[in-house]
Amino acid sequence: MSTPSSPAPPRSLLGVGVRAIAALVLLANIKSAPFAYHIRMIISIIRVEALRRWTLSSRLIKPAAAVAAGEGSPQSAADSLPGVPPKPSAGKYDPKAIWEPRVYRDRVLFDDMDWNFHMSNSSYNKHLDGARVGFLMRNFGAKRDVVYANAGVSVFFKREIPPFAVFHITTRLLTYDAKWFFFEHRFTYIKTKKDGSTEEVLCSVALDKQVIKRKDGKTVPFPEFLAMRGYGVTSPSAESADRETQRLKGWAVAEALLSVESGLMARVEADKAAQARNQDIVQMEVV
């Protein structure tokens, strides 16, 4: 005969409380859990790539008949004729699409905050990764033949982002040259006033410098990369002139950033040279 099993011992209230607190701490810091960053990036890439493929047809250059109806603009009249292949330098997507902004959305949780209980400096860069990856995947896709390399980030703070607020990062292509291309990111959140109305608050602006690299480490000129991804334009053409006008609008900001970087690197090199001279003098005195 089987003996009746003894009842399970009652759970300790202390043990239950400790486990509950541990679970709450884990949930509050879920963004910093092991592999959480990588999982979020992978999910973002998959989601944005699926959305890109789903909506890619909206970026296709439309034939002249559709343009007459106000639905888009072809690269040239000849390119839109049936049976006439596009020019080798012409792209298959609307060249203006590269300037379209993309919005990244998230919420400030405990592991985003600093001791002042608003979003910490390091969290800005962490979320910029998500915004940047989303923009690149949305416009150019995940390709194995090139690498998107971040060459520097500058963040300028204007207002704090309060705890638990939903914030947005609006990312747009600012400008580019033969090698570098630059992103502008604007951090905002919606503030509710005492009278019940709302306003968008600008909290921070960030600039970052990017470059395209092949697997062998060689740089891909950004205009060439645009053509590779289907955003090429014929030159001279109206599209080429429009793109150059848009590029020049942001170039003054990028040029100033490059000048600051150049001056900073020159200062570092000067300090290194002075340190080497001082070390030589010390060695001579010792001898």
Side-chain angles (χ1 to χ4, degrees):
M1 295 179 61
S2 60
T3 59
S5 58
S6 59
R11 292 186 177 183
S12 167
L13 290 179
L14 179 61
V16 173
V18 169
R19 284 192 288 269
I21 293 174
L24 287 175
V25 170
L26 177 61
L27 289 175
N29 296 275
I30 192 65
K31 292 182 182 178
S32 299
F35 304 109
Y37 172 87
H38 302 87
I39 292 173
R40 292 181 67 196
M41 287 297 103
I42 292 172
I43 292 175
S44 177
I45 290 173
I46 293 174
R47 179 174 58 83
V48 174
E49 179 67 11
L51 179 63
R52 188 184 75 90
R53 292 177 181 272
W54 181 265
T55 61
L56 208 54
S57 59
S58 65
R59 298 187 171 209
L60 290 172
I61 295 173
K62 299 181 180 181
V67 177
E71 299 177 5
S73 60
Q75 288 184 282
S76 70
D79 292 343
S80 64
L81 295 177
V84 177
K87 298 177 182 178
S89 58
K92 60 181 179 178
Y93 302 125
D94 184 356
K96 296 179 181 179
I98 63 171
W99 306 109
E100 294 175 2
R102 184 184 183 278
V103 179
Y104 169 96
R105 179 182 181 275
D106 211 321
R107 183 184 293 275
V108 180
L109 298 182
F110 280 107
D111 53 351
D112 290 317
M113 301 180 204
D114 58 17
W115 291 108
N116 296 317
F117 290 99
H118 51 66
M119 197 158 87
S120 66
N121 296 345
S122 60
S123 294
Y124 280 85
N125 278 289
K126 180 172 65 175
H127 289 292
L128 280 175
D129 282 344
R132 189 182 304 114
V133 167
F135 186 96
L136 290 169
M137 295 301 103
R138 177 68 180 87
N139 285 280
F140 307 124
K143 302 296 182 181
R144 298 181 179 179
D145 54 338
V146 296
V147 175
Y148 304 119
N150 185 9
V153 181
S154 297
V155 185
F156 305 91
F157 301 106
K158 183 176 177 62
R159 297 282 189 276
E160 70 275 6
I161 302 179
F164 310 113
V166 174
F167 64 92
H168 301 84
I169 306 175
T170 303
T171 299
R172 55 173 48 86
L173 177 65
L174 178 66
T175 187
Y176 63 89
D177 63 6
K179 179 179 181 180
W180 308 108
F181 63 102
F182 299 83
F183 284 143
E184 176 195 277
H185 311 272
R186 299 183 185 182
F187 289 77
T188 60
Y189 78 97
I190 303 300
K191 179 181 179 180
T192 302
K193 298 182 179 180
K194 293 181 179 180
D195 59 2
S197 62
T198 60
E199 66 172 341
E200 185 180 49
V201 179
L202 176 65
C203 300
S204 176
V205 178
L207 299 172
D208 62 51
K209 184 177 70 171
Q210 305 283 316
V211 68
I212 306 294
K213 293 286 187 178
R214 290 192 172 90
K215 293 297 184 179
D216 58 5
K218 293 182 179 179
T219 299
V220 181
F222 191 65
E224 178 183 324
F225 173 76
L226 290 176
M228 291 166 54
R229 292 298 182 260
Y231 294 100
V233 294
T234 57
S235 183
S237 67
E239 288 82 2
S240 176
D242 289 344
R243 177 172 291 182
E244 181 63 11
T245 299
Q246 187 69 29
R247 188 189 75 84
L248 291 175
K249 284 181 180 180
W251 181 248
V253 176
E255 193 172 34
L257 186 66
L258 290 172
S259 177
V260 171
E261 180 186 9
S262 176
L264 182 61
M265 292 298 104
R267 179 181 174 85
V268 171
E269 293 300 323
D271 288 346
K272 288 172 60 178
Q275 186 178 8
R277 288 194 300 270
N278 292 337
Q279 188 174 4
D280 291 341
I281 293 173
V282 170
Q283 289 178 351
M284 290 175 62
E285 290 177 351
V286 171
V287 173

